[in-house]
Amino acid sequence: MLPLRPVCGGIWRAAVHTVRMSRGAPPYRLFSSTCDGAPAALADADTIFALSSGHGRCGVAVVRVSGPASATALRCMAGFTQRLPPPRTALLRSITDPRSTEVLDRGLVLWFPAPRSFSGEDSVEFHIHGGPAVVTAVLQALGSVPGLRPAEAGEFTRRAFQAGKLGLTEVEGLGDLIHAETEAQRRQALRQMSGELGRLYQDWSDRLKRCLAHVEAFIDFSEDELIEDGVLNRVDVSVSDLQAEIERHLKDERRGERLRSGVQVVIAGATNAGKSSLLNKLCQRPAAIVSPIAGTTRDVVETALDLGGFPVLLSDTAGLRDSSDLVEREGVRRARERVEQADLTLVVVDSAHLPSEVDRAAAFLREHLRSVLPDTDRCLLVLNKADLLPEKQRQKLDTELRGVSGLPAVRLISCQTNEGLKAFLTVLHSSVKTL
């Protein structure tokens, strides 16, 4: 599992400076309030606020307040002098500055009394217009309410975790859901946020505790003949089964991590095979320079893709060859290093250099693969420039090379005419999906 990311809270700019006091003062001691009826005892309470929606210009921004002074903030800024609004009911109100009573905006306010809130505490949400001036003004006004301070990064979620609203794996799932960019990432994050992983770990914990209880009971009471026969054997079988389950779970070969950060797909091969052209075709823009001069690409060129819902980090690398040029040699070193780190390697070969006989072509490709890859298990063989081959030879290679042992999946394509690209993308998506 990845380290927890900051999830909610702490997203702001200039408003932070308006709620800090000068040096020497106690931390987070905020402006005094002119709000009538604000209890002085709440001035030191730990109530937090932050912009919880994305920053930048938008139609609606959500500012969240959580803690014991949330009701005070609602009264001060939304004009509730008597009763608080009904829980979880959106009301249109004027949002005012408690110091000057100036109207800052008109928006929706929602009151979430504890414990039925995201954080488990009293909580308030202000749904305001998302212009920077409006957001900054509301944050500044909240900073003047006694007992409120800016939230630290991830503090709302931390409080939800501490209140038992979210488990640790659910917190991770929430962070992944917020950062999800593809359909596969979204689906995985939702499964984890729903508690699927937490339930699995809890089941393991319960089974271990049950085994431990049986062993302790055997130690304490076996001489009294109160323990049924074979209890230790059953414990041994249960622990062995559990160990096998955990080992299988850990041998997913970083599948979850790849889905979070993206599958590392590296394009490698000899110079002038069409690696940069393939990169440009896949990302549908001129990300890499293409020229007939061998050795044009000297460094790793990266681009992020959404391949059928799966995140992919695609890397174009320098052509693999011996060179006396120091810069090119460094590029080749980096290319080989990136190939070793890749989850999937696309080995690009110039079809025009292949022997016309299938047996000799297969032997050529095997030798070429050994020079490029330390391990040929996770690679696709891309025969580029198929448009330069005669039609008969192209069809023969395309048909017969697929059944040759010792070769990975082979696809003939042409980046010039787009021939074979659709079938190649299907194979690439299938390969990424099964990693």
Side-chain angles (χ1 to χ4, degrees):
M1 294 186 293
L2 298 179
L4 293 182
R5 301 185 185 95
V7 176
C8 301
I11 307 173
W12 48 353
R13 297 290 182 268
V16 171
H17 301 291
T18 68
V19 296
R20 307 280 188 179
M21 286 191 65
S22 60
R23 293 183 180 178
Y28 298 115
R29 194 56 108 156
L30 308 178
F31 295 113
S32 60
S33 173
T34 59
C35 178
D36 296 333
L42 288 178
D44 294 320
D46 194 23
T47 299
I48 58 174
F49 67 92
L51 176 66
S52 291
S53 56
H55 61 83
R57 290 177 175 82
C58 55
V60 177
V62 178
V63 176
R64 177 181 287 166
V65 184
S66 181
S70 296
T72 300
L74 186 57
R75 288 190 176 99
C76 290
M77 297 188 60
F80 291 101
T81 57
Q82 301 294 326
R83 295 180 181 178
L84 290 172
R88 293 167 294 281
T89 301
L91 297 178
L92 180 64
R93 305 287 291 191
S94 293
I95 313 297
T96 60
D97 188 327
R99 296 164 297 183
S100 64
T101 68
E102 177 190 0
V103 175
L104 305 176
D105 192 19
R106 280 181 61 80
L108 299 178
V109 296
L110 292 97
W111 164 239
F112 300 91
R116 298 181 63 186
S117 69
F118 173 77
S119 62
E121 306 172 309
D122 285 349
S123 183
V124 172
E125 286 185 3
F126 296 94
H127 293 217
I128 58 177
H129 293 96
V134 175
V135 172
T136 300
V138 171
L139 291 174
Q140 289 176 346
L142 283 169
S144 71
V145 177
L148 268 67
R149 67 165 174 84
E152 298 174 0
E155 191 168 3
F156 289 112
T157 305
R158 186 174 75 227
R159 292 189 176 200
F161 170 69
Q162 292 170 341
K165 290 288 185 175
L166 296 173
L168 188 59
T169 56
E170 293 169 314
V171 170
E172 260 199 337
L174 176 59
D176 290 341
L177 185 62
I178 291 172
H179 291 85
E181 296 180 351
T182 69
E183 276 297 297
Q185 288 175 324
R186 179 189 63 78
R187 287 194 295 268
Q188 174 177 272
L190 275 176
R191 285 196 301 270
Q192 185 163 337
M193 191 177 170
S194 68
E196 181 178 302
L197 198 58
R199 287 191 293 273
L200 175 64
Y201 294 163
Q202 187 60 50
D203 176 63
W204 290 348
S205 176
D206 293 342
R207 290 160 62 184
L208 276 175
K209 290 175 184 176
R210 192 158 49 247
C211 291
L212 180 62
H214 288 159
V215 171
E216 290 179 347
F218 181 84
I219 294 172
D220 291 339
F221 305 111
S222 60
E223 294 181 358
D224 300 330
E225 298 183 354
L226 298 176
I227 303 299
E228 59 188 69
D229 295 335
V231 64
L232 288 184
N233 291 334
R234 289 196 294 273
V235 167
D236 187 56
V237 171
S238 297
V239 172
S240 297
D241 291 344
L242 182 57
Q243 180 183 2
E245 282 185 39
I246 294 174
E247 287 176 350
R248 286 195 299 271
H249 183 74
L250 294 176
K251 286 180 180 178
D252 68 346
E253 299 179 327
R254 295 176 43 248
R255 181 175 176 84
E257 182 182 339
R258 281 196 294 266
L259 199 53
R260 285 188 181 97
S261 58
V263 178
Q264 302 282 338
V265 177
V266 174
I267 304 174
T271 56
N272 265 18
K275 300 183 299 299
S276 297
S277 297
L278 179 59
L279 175 80
N280 293 344
K281 284 293 182 182
L282 292 177
C283 67
Q284 299 180 349
R285 62 184 178 88
I289 298 174
V290 176
S291 83
I293 302 173
T296 300
T297 302
R298 298 293 186 94
D299 205 349
V300 178
V301 179
E302 292 184 340
T303 185
L305 296 178
D306 179 349
L307 186 63
F310 289 84
V312 170
L313 185 62
L314 187 63
S315 302
D316 181 25
T317 59
L320 302 178
R321 67 173 180 177
D322 295 328
S323 175
S324 59
D325 187 297
L326 290 176
V327 177
E328 187 173 1
R329 279 160 56 186
E330 174 61 19
V332 171
R333 185 196 68 79
R334 294 187 182 189
R336 293 194 181 279
E337 181 180 64
R338 191 57 63 92
V339 166
E340 291 178 358
Q341 299 169 352
D343 298 313
L344 179 67
T345 303
L346 308 180
V347 181
V348 183
V349 178
D350 187 343
S351 298
H353 295 166
L354 290 176
S356 57
E357 296 83 1
V358 173
D359 291 343
R360 290 178 57 199
F364 174 87
L365 292 173
R366 289 193 197 97
E367 183 64 28
H368 183 69
L369 284 173
R370 282 193 290 269
S371 68
V372 174
L373 294 173
D375 182 4
T376 59
D377 287 342
R378 291 182 174 174
C379 74
L380 295 178
L381 198 51
V382 184
L383 308 184
N384 192 21
K385 305 183 182 181
D387 56 298
L388 300 180
L389 299 178
E391 177 68 22
K392 186 175 181 180
Q393 182 183 357
R394 186 163 65 244
Q395 291 180 353
K396 185 177 181 181
L397 287 174
D398 189 35
T399 302
E400 298 186 17
L401 282 179
R402 296 187 189 184
V404 175
S405 63
L407 290 180
V410 180
R411 281 295 177 271
L412 266 76
I413 69 166
S414 171
C415 292
Q416 183 70 28
T417 65
N418 295 332
E419 179 184 348
L421 278 176
K422 186 175 181 180
F424 165 70
L425 283 173
T426 301
V427 174
L428 177 59
H429 177 259
S430 177
S431 300
V432 167
K433 186 177 179 180
T434 55
L435 282 175

